[in-house]
Amino acid sequence: MSRTVVVTGATSGIGRAAAREFAERGDRLVLAARSPDTLADVRAECEKVGAEVLDVPTDVTADGAVAALADAAVERFGGVDVWVHTAAVMAYGRFDETPERVFEQVVRTDLLAAAAVARVALRHFRANGGGTLILTGSVLGHITAPFMSGYVASKWGLQGLARALQQEARETPGVNVCIVSPGSVDTPVYQQAANYLGRIGRPPPPITTPERVARAIVDCADRPRREVSVGRLNVVMRFGFTVLPGAYDVLVVPLMRLAGLSNRPVEPHEGAVFTPNPAGESVRGGWRPDLAQVVRGVGALPATIGGVVRRRLR
């Protein structure tokens, strides 16, 4: 049976992959993002496999925008069965060197807009007998990494929000709240990020695909669960952060510089935090490394860790 699915953040990365996945399932789609032209491209991709699609250019941080999106979905398809929220932006930089307005816009987009989506979706679901809200979290909602303070703070906040909503939803039969938390994913969000570090960020290996995360999202729509983790090392990182916090804090900065930042220089800029960059929007970001790059990175890890340990011992 086909469903009506709203996808916010549908023009790039996980959101775009999820839109395609739902389309191939035969679901009706309401697609939302900031770039009208790219949104029209995604609509065409989904219509090509036979899906009914409504695209609604939307800035989820604008007052009233999320409610207007829900109204458009109801007007076109009569209601919403599943709402998938993937919209997010990122900024790299030391906390004290990142402009205040950039930090606040990251939090506004990644946490407060997610709360606005949840508020509208849950009110609709309660009034109409049920539905499933799927939020896109991150392993960084359970651990921390330097130079990404706005994103980390938002994902920790989103994790807490999701748990609170799940507890409240227990009193509302038919309403489900899920959070899908990936590790490193090959999406353009790293190139699109604001940057005040001088080096373009990148996802540290191992890197999964947006399509794999999209399949986890669709599976949550079919079989709602509290949280789904996508990434082979997520459990290991969470264990180290929780059980060995001292060792984690010693190692995380040099490892971030080694594996989480590329060697590509960049001048300070706001990226796509405030305005979209359609030229950079796609499903994948081109970060899946070749074998030689992986071998070099893995080979450098023991020397890097050894150097950090020796400095700490001295």
Side-chain angles (χ1 to χ4, degrees):
M1 181 178 177
S2 63
R3 302 163 292 199
T4 297
V5 181
V6 176
V7 181
T8 37
T11 52
S12 195
I14 294 169
R16 191 165 184 167
R20 292 176 176 179
E21 195 75 22
F22 280 111
E24 290 173 358
R25 292 283 301 272
D27 291 316
R28 299 176 296 272
L29 289 170
V30 180
L31 305 178
R34 295 180 297 176
S35 303
D37 292 342
T38 313
L39 200 57
D41 293 340
V42 181
R43 182 193 67 210
E45 293 169 4
C46 295
E47 289 177 337
K48 189 174 181 179
V49 298
E52 279 189 87
V53 184
L54 170 67
D55 59 319
V56 184
T58 304
D59 180 349
V60 291
T61 66
D63 290 343
V66 176
L69 173 61
D71 291 342
V74 171
E75 181 178 353
R76 174 68 178 271
F77 295 120
V80 177
D81 302 302
V82 178
W83 195 311
V84 178
H85 181 66
T86 68
V89 295
M90 189 183 290
Y92 285 95
R94 291 181 57 92
F95 172 73
D96 57 320
E97 294 176 352
T98 300
E100 182 179 348
R101 64 189 296 269
V102 172
F103 178 91
E104 290 181 352
Q105 184 67 9
V106 171
V107 175
R108 187 175 295 112
T109 303
D110 296 358
L111 177 58
L112 299 183
V117 164
R119 186 176 297 111
V120 169
L122 292 175
R123 286 174 178 171
H124 178 83
F125 294 156
R126 289 184 66 185
N128 291 276
T132 299
L133 170 65
I134 303 174
L135 301 170
T136 307
S138 169
V139 69
L140 291 177
H142 295 281
I143 66 173
T144 58
F147 316 129
M148 302 173 69
S149 54
Y151 187 82
V152 171
S154 299
K155 292 303 182 180
W156 275 72
L158 186 63
Q159 188 71 33
L161 175 65
R163 288 298 302 274
L165 298 181
Q166 288 163 352
Q167 292 160 1
E168 293 177 7
R170 295 176 66 87
E171 297 182 342
T172 314
V175 175
N176 304 291
V177 178
C178 313
I179 186 166
V180 175
S181 299
S184 294
V185 185
D186 181 18
T187 78
V189 70
Y190 308 92
Q191 298 101 315
Q192 298 274 59
N195 198 298
Y196 302 93
L197 274 181
R199 292 164 59 188
I200 294 176
R202 66 182 179 189
I207 305 169
T208 194
T209 65
E211 292 85 354
R212 183 184 174 197
V213 184
R215 289 192 293 271
I217 288 172
V218 173
D219 191 52
C220 260
D222 294 339
R223 300 182 299 115
R225 279 151 292 161
R226 185 172 68 185
E227 182 172 5
V228 175
S229 178
V230 183
R232 294 192 299 275
L233 290 186
N234 289 7
V235 173
V236 176
M237 291 187 287
R238 290 176 62 176
F239 177 86
F241 180 81
T242 304
V243 179
L244 302 169
Y248 181 96
D249 287 352
V250 167
L251 297 174
V252 69
V253 172
L255 288 177
M256 178 66 179
R257 292 191 180 280
L258 175 69
L261 297 173
S262 73
N263 292 323
R264 295 160 56 187
V266 63
E267 294 295 321
H269 66 93
E270 294 180 348
V273 169
F274 293 97
T275 57
N277 173 29
E281 294 176 330
S282 61
V283 173
R284 296 200 182 191
W287 292 110
R288 299 273 284 180
D290 59 34
L291 183 59
Q293 183 180 358
V294 172
V295 170
R296 286 194 298 270
V298 171
L301 284 176
T304 300
I305 294 172
V308 172
V309 171
R310 286 194 296 273
R311 286 195 297 272
R312 294 291 292 186
L313 289 176
R314 287 201 296 267

